[in-house]
Amino acid sequence: MCGIVGAIAERDVVPILVEGLRRLEYRGYDSAGVAVLDQANCLTRIRKAGKVDGLAQAVKNTRGHIGIAHTRWATHGEPSETNAHPHVCRKTVAVVHNGIIENHEALRAAQLKKKYEFTSQTDTEVIVHQLYGYHVDEGLDILEATKKTINDLEGAYALGVVSNKEPDRLVAARFGSPLVIGVGIGEYFIASDVAALLPVTRRFIFLEEGDLADIKKDKLVIYDINGKVVERPIRESELTAESAERGEYRHFMLKEIYEQPRAIADTLEGRISGSKVLEAAFGAQAKSIFDNVQGVHIIACGTSYHAGLIAKYWFESIAGVPCSVEVASEFRYRKPVVRKNSLIVTISQSGETADTLAGLQEAKRLGFGYSLSICNVPESSLVRESDLVLMTRAGPEIGVASTKAFTTQLVALMLLVIVLGRRFELNDAAERNLVKQLEGLPAAIDNALKLDGEIKQLAEQFGDKLHALFLGRGAMYPVAMEGALKLKEISYIHAEAYPAGELKHGPLALVDVDMPIIAVAPNNELLEKLKSNLQEVRARGGELYVFADSQAGVNAEPGTQVLIVADTEDAIAPIVYTVPLQLLSYHVAVLKGTDVDKPRNLAKSVTVE
């Protein structure tokens, strides 16, 4: 969601700040701004509603050796220049903030009594007023003022603070929102995501929960949540600045769809030996933990939640492992019955999804059992808080609508199904068969991508549609859910998914010639049931678009268009059939002229609840 960049150096940092914001655009935002101190220590703030390009034009004549910058995704207050960060108090203190301050109303009321003037509707502005009060009125330096201020805050925050009274100092703090420090030579940087700083450094310090950092050009001191000076390790990121480039593709989303065969191969690499999945791939403690697991409890949001729903079918039908799946934002606020010796599996592309992270913390507090994170970012909070980890290795995913992160999550989940299934109902022969299917998956995805031309033509029939219905049965129902989510995310067509057997219980009322019905129909044990459901649609004049394999026996006829997906083994079919639905959503969105990589109102990394 919101993005933070900051820098302190001998050189002009404005280009670094702006380029950092550009590299955070994929997270989703509606305004952007910078605040810098020039050589005369004058604090200059420039903000713009809209894209970073507009801000870049506005700051092209601005210079500074220390500064902070921000892209904002509106929570408190509408998207506007006045609500954009950084927030400044009396031209002295500037702050950027990710997260939500839950007690901002009480702080605002107290500050109004002290005659502070508010110019925005944001929760963040109370932070800068609080800082100014301590910093100026009580004569504290900006570090001590930040210490006192964060003690007054309730909620989540990542902060960057500068003041023209101390032009050689940048202060940063985190609690509940990610923040990293980039290490240069005689210079330091801060950011909410390493991607923002890859052009200037690959060396990073990941602040822990409650950390406060005092940053100067030639010195860094970090204090932990108890105020003690601590050393945090410097880590070399495997990412490069070039890895996030779009290349020959029109959009990042299309590039990432086509990267799926390689990404899946990377997910599998080193985790299979012969025809066996290596338990050590999950961590040194994996065997002892898995031996005690009696069930799985998956917590996730959005696309990752759909991955969990597919995995539930696999865990129970393939491996005989009891499995529950929950939306993280619901799990954390209900009162779940604790099942001891459950394996809590959290799934998140970024590893910073606030609801998922809070769900993990709540599950640990309740004593559910061990935890495993399936994630794409090795340095993330979710990874650091889990007992076991399996990285998806999808590489940077820039498009807001998740594609390769989803399919690699499914591959990781199948690996987990196999290693846990050994302890339940999965025999050696079944494991060999599943491993063979996984090893053939990159080629199967390549075959699915060959449908791109046909799907592009098919997409033209959706140009004037306002609604769509996706159908599937069994493990294909969550695939249909993911297909509907993709279409609504990037084309803004209202799309819903249903188990095909539920048509007669309500959704049939929606069916007419203007409601396209998209069905996924692999040749499995539920195929004949699905065919009957599709006949219900045709009998009511619905237009069918069916993705089926050559053995399914679904024939094209007036009102029914069929796209043949290469014959696919049943276990991996949900992964393969996801790809044509991704392509359909992409091409429909392109035809509609939407912002494919950065759809309105959405964010890549949802770091607030």
Side-chain angles (χ1 to χ4, degrees):
M1 301 182 79
C2 305
I4 286 175
V5 186
I8 180 169
E10 292 289 349
R11 55 174 160 164
D12 178 24
V13 300
V14 173
I16 296 170
L17 299 177
V18 172
E19 179 60 24
L21 294 184
R22 282 202 172 100
R23 291 175 176 271
L24 295 179
E25 285 187 296
Y26 73 93
R27 295 166 68 97
Y29 70 104
D30 47 58
S31 60
V34 300
V36 295
L37 295 171
D38 61 20
Q39 294 301 320
N41 298 331
C42 177
L43 180 61
T44 300
R45 174 182 62 171
I46 300 174
R47 301 176 294 173
K48 291 290 180 182
K51 301 299 184 182
V52 170
D53 282 346
L55 178 69
Q57 286 297 314
V59 302
K60 61 184 179 181
N61 295 320
T62 304
R63 304 287 183 271
H65 66 282
I66 177 173
I68 49 179
H70 193 268
T71 50
R72 176 180 184 261
W73 189 77
T75 53
H76 296 77
E78 65 184 7
S80 67
E81 183 174 320
T82 56
N83 286 328
H85 297 212
H87 287 283
V88 172
C89 185
R90 299 177 187 173
K91 299 182 181 180
T92 301
V93 181
V95 170
V96 289
H97 164 230
N98 283 358
I100 291 178
I101 304 304
E102 295 178 353
N103 63 331
H104 73 98
E105 290 182 349
L107 291 172
R108 180 181 287 249
Q111 291 167 0
L112 285 170
K113 290 181 179 178
K114 295 181 178 180
K115 307 302 182 184
Y116 283 97
E117 295 182 2
F118 284 82
T119 60
S120 79
Q121 301 164 293
T122 68
D123 55 333
T124 301
E125 198 172 0
V126 302
I127 302 174
V128 73
H129 290 326
Q130 202 81 348
L131 275 164
Y132 179 89
Y134 286 129
H135 186 37
V136 176
D137 294 347
E138 295 192 11
L140 302 178
D141 63 31
I142 198 65
L143 177 69
E144 292 301 319
T146 304
K147 284 182 181 179
K148 294 195 73 171
T149 295
I150 60 180
N151 287 334
D152 295 331
L153 304 180
E154 296 174 9
Y157 56 80
L159 301 176
V161 183
V162 294
S163 170
N164 60 11
K165 290 187 177 293
E166 296 177 77
D168 61 344
R169 196 175 221 174
L170 169 63
V171 175
R174 77 151 285 191
F175 187 86
S177 287
L179 198 65
V180 303
I181 297 174
V183 181
I185 299 173
E187 56 189 13
Y188 286 98
F189 315 92
I190 64 169
S192 49
D193 189 319
V194 296
L197 301 178
L198 289 173
V200 290
T201 186
R202 290 178 61 191
R203 302 171 69 224
F204 296 98
I205 296 170
F206 295 87
L207 294 180
E208 300 288 337
E209 194 81 335
D211 278 358
L212 176 70
D214 184 14
I215 308 169
K216 299 181 180 180
K217 287 192 290 285
D218 57 354
K219 186 178 182 181
L220 169 66
V221 181
I222 299 175
Y223 302 86
D224 68 10
I225 196 169
N226 298 312
K228 295 180 180 179
V229 175
V230 291
E231 295 285 337
R232 301 292 186 212
I234 297 175
R235 301 179 184 177
E236 187 93 10
S237 177
E238 297 178 0
L239 300 176
T240 64
E242 292 74 26
S243 63
E245 296 303 322
R246 195 172 64 228
E248 64 186 21
Y249 294 93
R250 183 174 177 181
H251 296 98
F252 281 110
M253 181 180 178
L254 186 61
K255 174 178 181 278
E256 288 152 9
I257 289 172
Y258 271 85
E259 285 177 340
Q260 287 175 113
R262 178 204 55 76
I264 288 169
D266 288 346
T267 304
L268 293 171
E269 184 180 358
R271 290 162 172 173
I272 293 173
S273 178
S275 56
K276 300 284 285 185
V277 176
L278 302 174
E279 293 188 358
F282 294 84
Q285 297 178 285
K287 185 181 185 306
S288 61
I289 288 175
F290 290 158
D291 284 345
N292 290 313
V293 169
Q294 296 177 9
V296 172
H297 202 108
I298 297 173
I299 303 172
C301 301
T303 285
S304 298
Y305 171 67
H306 296 159
L309 290 175
I310 293 170
K312 177 179 171 65
Y313 285 93
W314 290 341
F315 275 115
E316 298 189 344
S317 64
I318 293 174
V321 178
C323 180
S324 301
V325 187
E326 295 206 52
V327 174
S329 57
E330 292 296 316
F331 172 80
R332 61 183 293 198
Y333 289 117
R334 73 178 185 87
K335 296 181 179 179
V337 176
V338 176
R339 298 189 312 183
K340 294 189 182 300
N341 296 324
S342 288
L343 179 66
I344 299 297
V345 178
T346 53
I347 312 171
S348 169
Q349 189 282 138
S350 68
E352 303 293 352
T353 308
D355 286 317
T356 305
L357 186 57
L360 170 61
Q361 292 164 345
E362 179 67 5
K364 291 167 95 174
R365 187 187 70 80
L366 292 171
F368 264 70
Y370 303 104
S371 60
L372 181 148
S373 169
I374 292 175
C375 185
N376 192 38
V377 181
E379 304 95 345
S380 63
S381 299
L382 200 64
V383 166
R384 296 199 299 271
E385 294 204 19
S386 299
D387 298 317
L388 301 174
V389 174
L390 191 66
M391 305 309 304
T392 55
R393 301 172 179 167
E397 188 179 66
I398 306 302
V400 167
S402 185
T403 52
K404 63 177 180 175
F406 176 67
T407 50
T408 54
Q409 285 171 355
L410 289 174
V411 171
L413 285 162
M414 179 60 87
L415 295 174
L416 180 61
V417 168
I418 292 170
V419 297
L420 287 180
R422 294 171 187 159
R423 294 158 169 84
F424 289 80
E425 298 178 3
L426 191 69
N427 59 38
D428 289 344
E431 177 170 351
R432 285 194 296 271
N433 181 45
L434 289 171
V435 168
K436 183 179 179 182
Q437 290 185 47
L438 287 173
E439 290 177 330
L441 189 52
I445 299 295
D446 265 328
N447 282 330
L449 289 168
K450 293 175 183 176
L451 290 170
D452 193 13
E454 292 180 65
I455 293 171
K456 185 176 182 180
Q457 292 180 351
L458 179 69
E460 294 176 3
Q461 300 176 46
F462 287 72
D464 62 344
K465 303 302 182 186
L466 300 177
H467 309 279
L469 193 62
F470 285 71
L471 301 177
R473 296 200 70 143
M476 287 297 166
Y477 167 46
V479 173
M481 294 173 71
E482 177 62 13
L485 176 62
K486 286 291 158 285
L487 189 65
K488 74 178 74 170
E489 277 183 310
I490 62 171
S491 74
Y492 314 148
I493 291 175
H494 172 239
E496 298 295 338
Y498 274 88
E502 283 291 292
L503 277 172
K504 62 179 68 70
H505 297 288
L508 273 177
L510 297 172
V511 173
D512 60 21
V513 70
D514 294 318
M515 170 74 86
I517 313 293
I518 301 98
V520 281
N523 185 20
N524 60 24
E525 61 185 10
L526 293 172
L527 177 61
E528 294 306 317
K529 298 288 186 184
L530 177 64
K531 287 181 179 179
S532 296
N533 302 139
L534 300 184
Q535 288 303 313
E536 295 171 357
V537 172
R538 284 301 304 133
R540 289 155 180 84
E543 295 288 322
L544 279 171
Y545 302 86
V546 184
F547 293 89
D549 69 30
S550 62
Q551 305 301 313
V554 180
N555 299 315
E557 58 185 18
T560 302
Q561 297 189 49
V562 181
L563 278 81
I564 299 299
V565 180
D567 296 353
T568 304
E569 295 281 355
D570 190 39
I572 64 169
I575 309 175
V576 176
Y577 275 76
T578 292
V579 175
L581 300 186
Q582 294 172 346
L583 288 168
L584 177 63
S585 299
Y586 171 77
H587 287 301
V588 173
V590 170
L591 284 169
K592 283 186 165 287
T594 63
D595 193 340
V596 173
D597 288 331
K598 292 172 279 188
R600 67 189 183 199
N601 303 331
L602 298 181
K604 182 65 179 174
S605 180
V606 186
T607 55
V608 297
E609 63 177 301

